Amino acid sequence: MRVLIVGGGVLGTMHALRALERGHDVVQLEREAEARGASVRNFGLIWVSGRQLGPDLEVAMRARHDWERIAADVPALGFRSNGSLTVLRTPAELAVAEDFVARPDAAERATKLLDAAEARALNPALRGEMLAALWCEMDAAVESRTAQPALRAHLAATGRYTWLSGREVRDIGEGWVRDDTAERHEADLVIVCTGAALGGLVKELRPNLPVRRVRLQMMQTGSLDEPLLTSVADADSMRYYPGYRGPSLDELNASQPQPEVAADNGMQLLMVQRVHGGLTIGDTHEYDEPFAFDVREDPYEHLKQRAEELLGRPLPRIIRRWAGVYAQTEDKSQVVHREQVLPGVWLVTGPGGRGMTGSPAIATDTWREVDA
């Protein structure tokens, strides 16, 4: 079978990988020279922490194991099974974590509560004040800025993979696509993974698509002069991720509301160290379009202050700031929007902030539906 993938981000590339594993020939088209959307504007986190029990957690767990297997063949992904610590600084935050680890699925996530000394033994760089920390051993990380080229080099080694960049698809029909050079590409199957680019062709294929876009702001520091041995989150991540919901979280929100800047910008702190030593730090969440064309400084100041509180030291100099946009399905019972929009043409979009985490499992599930 000849398979054509539209979109060069991590979701499209994982669909290409799964196609090659099934013995198919693959052509992947990307409108930019390289993917420039959410696939590179993220933490590179493979995040099991806080996933909601059900399909969300099930996909994240499968994908976590998939990433480790893929990385065995593609060392350049920079995969590391570093786990995460969610730092707890107040009794109300601790109560949410205590309820979380008491749930039946805590063992599946390899999650447990550590006291401050145990947390610092795992990650000595955390010198700020804390009562305890929530440890999730299953969390991991890859290098998001270089993952796609590394994966493509692996795919190209099969001899059955063709990468065509700078090609914007303008028209699609049953068994073919036409790009902006007027070249027509024949295929037995077309999979469209265009991320947050939901207008134009996607809108023609699927009007009134039940997917929204979300904007975020993030930043990166220069090299930290010591290792940050785990990924790090603050307790605001428990407000964001649905797996923590319950009476103790309601009490946290009532008794310890977020600072105004954090609440207004849908913020949590996540922090991960890159292989070159710098820290990727974020993030914000904006849901109402039209999005601003610029970035706001007050969220960055809040993230910087919070990160320094957890580390107990000044951050290295901020060397990059950026905004990104990802697509998120509006159906909360689904991990992604997947739909056959024409015979032999599938649209897969809207994984939200779980795209980097879940892409290997999402692609597997697409092929299950195609083969059904």
Side-chain angles (χ1 to χ4, degrees), residues 182-311:
E183 183 175 356
R184 180 181 168 112
H185 306 269
E186 306 291 335
D188 301 293
L189 178 71
V190 179
I191 302 177
V192 180
C193 301
T194 54
L198 302 177
L201 179 67
V202 172
K203 192 170 185 178
E204 292 177 13
L205 288 170
R206 180 52 161 94
N208 303 313
L209 182 68
V211 173
R212 67 175 178 177
R213 304 200 313 158
V214 181
R215 183 179 184 267
L216 56 82
Q217 289 184 199
M218 295 176 61
M219 62 183 177
Q220 185 173 305
T221 74
S223 182
L224 189 71
D225 58 5
E226 62 180 325
L228 188 72
L229 296 177
T230 72
S231 299
V232 176
D234 73 351
D236 280 345
S237 68
M238 298 192 297
R239 306 178 200 262
Y240 177 76
Y241 286 104
Y244 296 105
R245 290 173 185 162
S248 58
L249 181 62
D250 295 339
E251 176 59 29
L252 172 67
N253 289 328
S255 64
Q256 185 184 312
Q258 283 184 297
E260 184 176 356
V261 63
D264 289 348
N265 291 277
M267 295 180 70
Q268 61 174 338
L269 173 76
L270 296 176
M271 180 164 54
V272 61
Q273 191 170 40
R274 305 264 65 93
V275 294
H276 54 65
L279 305 176
T280 300
I281 301 172
D283 59 351
T284 66
H285 300 88
E286 182 182 353
Y287 300 99
D288 296 327
E289 297 198 56
F291 298 134
F293 62 86
D294 49 8
V295 295
R296 294 180 56 194
E297 191 61 25
D298 51 341
Y300 286 119
E301 288 297 325
H302 174 80
L303 289 169
K304 181 174 182 290
Q305 178 184 344
R306 181 61 58 87
E308 290 179 341
E309 289 170 355
L310 300 188
L311 295 173

Side-chain angles (χ1 to χ4, degrees), residues 49-50 95-103 105-106 109 111 134 243-244:
S49 302
V96 178
E98 288 173 335
D99 284 354
F100 187 71
V101 298
R103 299 176 187 176
D105 55 293
R109 303 171 194 256
T111 299
L134 190 63
Y244 296 105

